[in-house]
Amino acid sequence: MTTMPSAPEPTKAPTATPVPAPRKSGPPAWLIVALACAGQFLVVLDISVVNVALPSMRADLGLSAPGLQWVVNAYAITFAGFLLLGGRAGDLFGRKRTFLAGLALFTLASLSGGLAQSDWELLAARAVQGLGAAILAPSTLTLLTAAVPEGPARARAIATWTAVGAGGGSAGGLVGGVLVDTLSWRWVLLINVPIGALVLAGALRWLPETRSETKKRLDVPGAVLVTAGLATLAFGISRIESEGWTSGAALLPLAAGAVLIAAFLAVEARARSPLMPLGLLRLRQVASANVAMFISGSATFCMWFFMTLYAQNVLGYTPLEAGLATMPSSLAVIAGSKLAPRLMRAASPRATAVLGALIAAAGFAWQSTMSPDGSLLTDIVFPGILMMFGAGMATTPLASLATSGTTAADSGIVSGLVNTSRTIGGSLGLAVMATIAATRTDGHDTPAALTDGYALVFRTSTAVLLAGAALMWAWLPRGGGDRA
C-alpha cells in the first residue's frame, strides 16, 4: 500500500535536461566571428601600415635603404616562422588562451616600437610584434571554424575573415597616411595599443575556450630553425644587390639559410609531435592550396610596399595622399573576397581561385606600364583595383580548400599553415622584388630610374601570377572545399 515514493520519478525525467541546454550554448556565432576578425585585422594591418611611414622612419631614426625593407620583413619573417608553433599552441593550451597571450604580446610590442629611439629598437619591436601576431593569428581562424559548422555558413564566415584580413592589409596605407600626416610615424604602431586593449577585454568576456583532445608537445626547435632559416635566406637575398650573386657575403647566408631549412625538415620528419606534420602535405587539397598561397603571396605581398614608394618618391605624394590613392584597392580586395563564395557555388573553388589569379595578373601587368609623370587613375587606382580584387577572389577558395577535410586535432596547425604559406611567400618575395628593383636602378634615385625598377617588379609579379594560375588549374581539386 505504500506506493508514495514512486510518485516523484515521472517529474524528474522530462523537466531536468532539455531546458538549460540551449542557455549554455555560449555567445552567438557572429560575436565570435567579429572578435576573431578584429584580431586578424590587427595582425594584417601591421604588415602594411608602416609602408607610408618608411620615409619618415628613415629620416627620424637614420635607417639605411636596406633597413627600410627590414622594418617590414622583421615583422613578416617572425610572423611566418612562428605561425605553425602558434597553431599548435592553440590546439594544446586552448584557442582563447592563445588568442589572449598573442594579442597581449602584440600590443606591448606595439607600444615599445612606437617609443623606439633607435633603428635596432624599432626592428626588435617589429620582430616581437611578429611573434605575438604568430601566436594570435591561427586562433582567429580556428575559433571561427569551431563556432560555425562546415558548409555555406562557414564559407561565408571564412570570406568575411579573408575580407577583413585583406582589408587590414590594404587599409594600412590610408591609416598610416592619416597618422603620419596628422601626428607622427610613431602612431602607426601606438594606435594598436588602445585597439588591442579593447579587443582583449571583449575576448576575455565573450570568447569560448576550445582545444584539441590530442595531447602533443610544442616543437620549439622546429620553430626556431624555420624562423632562422627564413631570416637568413631573406638576408642573403638582400645582399645580392650590393655584393652580387657570386659574392661570399651573399652566397654564405643563402647557403646557411638552405641548411637551416633542410635541418627543419629533418627535425619535422623525426619529431614525435612535429610543428608541421609532413603527412598533411600528402592531402592534395592541403598541399596544392598552400603552394598556391605561397606563389600568390610572393607576387602580391610587395604591392603595397612599391605602390606607396612610387606614390611618394616618384609622384611626390604626401603620406596621406598616398594612402588615399590606394583606398579604392582596399575596397576592391574586400569586394573580391565577398564575391568569391558566390562564384564557388556557381563554379568551383578551383575555378574561382584561377580566375582571381588571372585578374590580379592583369592588374600587375597594367601597373608595370607606370611612368615618372603618371596620373592617379591610370597609374595607381585602376590597376590597383584589379590587382587586389583578384587577390581577394583567389584567397577565399584557397583558404577554404586548405582547411576542408582535416580532423579537429589538426585544425589549428592547418590554419597556421595557410597563413604561413602566404606570409613566407610574401616575405621572401619582398626580399627578391626589392633586390630586383635595386639592381635595375643601380643606385640612382631619379624618378625615371625608380620607376624603371618598380615597373620591373610588377612585370615579374605578373609572370609569377600567370604561372601560379596554371599550377592551380592543374593541381587544385576539381571539387571539394566548402561550397557556399
Side-chain angles (χ1 to χ4, degrees):
M1 298 282 303
T2 55
T3 58
M4 294 289 293
S6 62
E9 292 182 12
T11 62
K12 287 182 181 180
T15 58
T17 47
V19 175
R23 300 190 179 187
K24 291 203 164 192
S25 59
W30 68 263
L31 184 56
I32 298 173
V33 171
L35 288 169
C37 287
Q40 179 71 359
F41 181 84
L42 282 176
V43 166
V44 181
L45 178 72
D46 253 66
I47 296 177
S48 63
V49 71
V50 299
N51 285 332
V52 297
L54 291 175
S56 300
M57 290 177 175
R58 184 177 185 180
D60 193 13
L61 299 180
L63 284 163
S64 63
L68 292 181
Q69 174 191 324
W70 282 99
V71 173
V72 177
N73 261 354
Y75 179 94
I77 288 174
T78 53
F79 177 49
F82 285 97
L83 260 175
L84 295 175
L85 189 70
R88 183 59 77 197
D91 288 340
L92 296 182
F93 304 125
R95 283 69 183 252
K96 175 179 179 177
R97 185 178 301 175
T98 306
F99 182 97
L100 294 172
L103 183 55
L105 182 62
F106 178 88
T107 304
L108 290 173
S110 298
L111 177 63
S112 177
L115 300 177
Q117 298 300 311
S118 64
D119 55 353
W120 71 265
E121 290 176 345
L122 175 62
L123 296 181
R126 289 286 289 168
V128 177
Q129 263 191 312
L131 175 60
I135 297 171
L136 167 64
S139 296
T140 65
L141 184 55
T142 310
L143 284 166
L144 182 150
T145 54
V148 183
E150 188 168 352
R154 181 183 291 182
R156 289 191 294 270
I158 290 176
T160 301
W161 175 86
T162 301
V164 169
S170 54
L174 176 61
V175 173
V178 171
L179 293 174
V180 173
D181 266 11
T182 58
L183 297 169
S184 78
W185 69 261
R186 297 182 181 278
W187 278 95
V188 301
L189 301 174
L190 293 176
I191 193 64
N192 294 326
V193 178
I195 298 175
L198 184 63
V199 178
L200 270 172
L204 276 169
R205 172 68 179 84
W206 288 301
L207 277 185
E209 185 59 280
T210 64
R211 72 183 70 204
S212 170
E213 297 297 328
T214 304
K215 298 296 181 183
K216 296 183 179 181
R217 297 178 182 178
L218 284 179
D219 182 16
V220 177
V224 172
L225 282 171
V226 71
T227 304
L230 290 172
T232 307
L233 282 174
F235 177 73
I237 293 169
S238 68
R239 298 290 289 172
I240 292 172
E241 183 270 328
S242 59
E243 306 293 338
W245 280 98
T246 58
S247 169
L251 291 178
L252 185 61
L254 287 173
V259 170
L260 288 169
I261 296 297
F264 164 71
L265 294 175
V267 167
E268 298 309 284
R270 298 182 180 183
R272 286 193 297 172
S273 300
L275 185 65
M276 185 180 71
L278 299 181
L280 284 175
L281 297 180
R282 297 191 185 99
L283 298 174
R284 180 178 177 181
Q285 70 270 27
V286 174
S288 59
N290 277 281
V291 170
M293 280 283 199
F294 179 92
I295 294 173
S296 177
S298 69
T300 60
F301 181 83
C302 64
M303 178 264 194
W304 304 109
F305 184 85
F306 289 105
M307 286 287 277
T308 52
L309 290 181
Y310 171 67
Q312 292 185 65
N313 294 341
V314 176
L315 301 184
Y317 288 11
T318 67
L320 177 56
E321 289 170 342
L324 288 171
T326 57
M327 190 59 190
S329 305
S330 306
L331 302 177
V333 72
I334 295 172
S337 299
K338 297 299 286 184
L339 177 63
R342 297 184 182 181
L343 296 177
M344 290 162 64
R345 181 173 62 245
S348 69
R350 181 184 71 150
T352 304
V354 170
L355 178 61
L358 292 175
I359 292 174
F364 275 86
W366 188 349
Q367 187 63 54
S368 70
T369 64
M370 63 210 302
S371 64
D373 56 351
S375 67
L376 172 65
L377 293 180
T378 59
D379 287 79
I380 293 182
V381 174
F382 293 152
I385 288 174
L386 280 179
M387 284 187 279
M388 291 297 101
F389 184 84
M393 183 185 296
T395 301
T396 297
L398 291 176
S400 181
L401 281 170
T403 56
S404 65
T406 56
T407 64
D410 288 322
S411 61
I413 203 67
V414 173
S415 299
L417 189 59
V418 170
N419 280 299
T420 299
S421 300
R422 180 170 51 186
T423 312
I424 286 177
S427 56
L428 292 180
L430 175 58
V432 170
M433 298 301 180
T435 300
I436 289 173
T439 302
R440 175 56 67 93
T441 58
D442 195 24
H444 298 95
D445 58 0
T446 64
L450 292 174
T451 301
D452 196 27
Y454 301 155
L456 180 58
V457 165
F458 285 101
R459 284 197 296 273
T460 305
S461 293
T462 301
V464 171
L465 284 169
L466 291 174
L471 183 69
M472 291 178 206
W473 186 257
W475 193 9
L476 289 177
R478 294 179 180 273
D482 290 333
R483 294 177 66 88

